[in-house]
Amino acid sequence: DVKVTQSSRYLVKRTGEKVFLECVQDMDHENMFWYRQDPGLGLRLIYFSYDVKMKEKGDIPEGYSVSREKKERFSLILESASTNQTSMYLCASSRRLAGESYNEQFFGPGTRLTVL
Amino acid sequence: AQTVTQSQPEMSVQEAETVTLSCTYDTSENNYYLFWYKQPPSRQMILVIRQEAYKQQNATENRFSVNFQKAAKSFSLKISDSQLGDTAMYFCAYLRKRGGSNYKLTFGKGTLLTVNP
């Protein structure tokens, strides 16, 4: 079974703190993703990475950065947390396949971040 | 840009009955995938069913089936014989099909389904 794990289920931080959210997958997937989930807004892509040290911005990258130093690990960084970043953060991973094959995204359990 | 619309924020159904969740999408592409994901309370999101746009036959997975209407850009999910464990948030999602980088899922806002005993 594919396993995607996230370092914390719940996190409480203060405004202005630097926050690290960690995600690890054990299936040697090339692609990794960070989403933000808010009620009434669904899931929105923050950043994704298609290889080690490679990253691309998603739909809402402002206020976030990412790091992918190893294939299995993808970190989301909030440089200076703000209250409007209070949300559920979901990590996902998928294989990168040649041609036009489908590559399912597998999700982690999520980290519920509260910024006070 | 692609958009996915789920017009029903919440729905409820009695156990053992059938329920249909609606999804419409907007795209100018001809090749793409559509998905329904399920997110149970406090649990991980999992894939329920997927549909390839070029396939006319509607996908089916046990009690879950879809009604894919490509011309109308509609992709509804039917759950038959609803069970208490089907209580979850359901997300409709779209994926553009474009080779090795077909990565970006676009999600709807979700429908919260409650199955009542």
Side-chain angles (χ1 to χ4, degrees):
Chain A
D1 275 355
V2 175
K3 197 164 186 181
V4 181
T5 58
Q6 296 183 228
S7 51
S8 305
R9 290 301 301 272
Y10 300 94
L11 207 54
V12 179
K13 296 292 182 180
R14 297 213 172 268
T15 302
E17 281 192 74
K18 191 169 185 176
V19 181
F20 293 86
L21 303 182
E22 305 284 341
C23 175
V24 177
Q25 49 92 7
D26 66 358
M27 284 302 292
D28 202 35
H29 284 172
E30 291 83 6
N31 300 330
M32 295 188 75
F33 310 83
W34 275 107
Y35 292 92
R36 173 174 171 161
Q37 182 180 4
D38 299 290
L41 295 178
L43 276 75
R44 294 177 291 169
L45 182 65
I46 305 172
Y47 267 99
F48 79 97
S49 169
Y50 52 91
D51 206 343
V52 175
K53 296 189 185 295
M54 306 304 290
K55 62 184 180 184
E56 283 195 25
K57 293 179 180 179
D59 298 318
I60 52 165
E62 296 78 17
Y64 304 94
S65 62
V66 291
S67 172
R68 188 145 181 226
E69 296 296 320
K70 293 185 178 181
K71 190 175 185 179
E72 68 272 17
R73 187 179 297 269
F74 191 36
S75 302
L76 180 69
I77 304 158
L78 287 65
E79 295 288 344
S80 178
S82 63
T83 55
N84 62 12
Q85 292 178 309
T86 292
S87 187
M88 171 71 86
Y89 291 88
L90 296 177
C91 176
S93 73
S94 71
R95 189 167 300 285
R96 186 174 72 237
L97 298 175
E100 295 196 333
S101 302
Y102 161 65
N103 45 352
E104 179 181 345
Q105 289 191 21
F106 295 88
F107 285 83
T111 295
R112 186 168 294 281
L113 173 67
T114 302
V115 182
L116 301 176
Chain B
Q2 293 80 22
T3 59
V4 177
T5 302
Q6 294 179 248
S7 58
Q8 306 148 314
E10 294 187 35
M11 294 187 72
S12 63
V13 64
Q14 292 299 121
E15 198 174 4
E17 293 187 348
T18 295
V19 64
T20 299
L21 280 59
S22 300
C23 173
T24 58
Y25 59 95
D26 185 26
T27 183
S28 58
E29 302 289 332
N30 196 43
N31 285 330
Y32 49 88
Y33 291 100
L34 295 165
F35 309 91
W36 280 97
Y37 277 89
K38 171 185 177 181
Q39 187 180 39
S42 301
R43 294 179 62 185
Q44 283 172 253
M45 182 146 2
I46 56 172
L47 180 65
V48 175
I49 198 165
R50 64 171 176 158
Q51 175 80 42
E52 297 180 61
Y54 72 89
K55 289 187 176 179
Q56 293 186 344
Q57 187 173 3
N58 289 325
T60 299
E61 289 287 342
N62 300 316
R63 297 182 295 107
F64 298 86
S65 61
V66 297
N67 183 5
F68 174 48
Q69 302 289 327
K70 190 173 184 179
K73 296 180 182 175
S74 170
F75 183 61
S76 61
L77 174 69
K78 186 172 82 171
I79 306 174
S80 303
D81 186 25
S82 296
Q83 300 176 0
L84 296 178
D86 295 333
T87 292
M89 182 72 84
Y90 288 82
F91 292 98
C92 179
Y94 167 99
L95 180 72
R96 179 183 169 189
K97 194 175 180 183
R98 54 169 186 164
S101 59
N102 57 348
Y103 49 78
K104 187 171 180 290
L105 278 170
T106 300
F107 285 88
K109 295 181 179 181
T111 297
L112 179 60
L113 176 67
T114 302
V115 180
N116 299 309

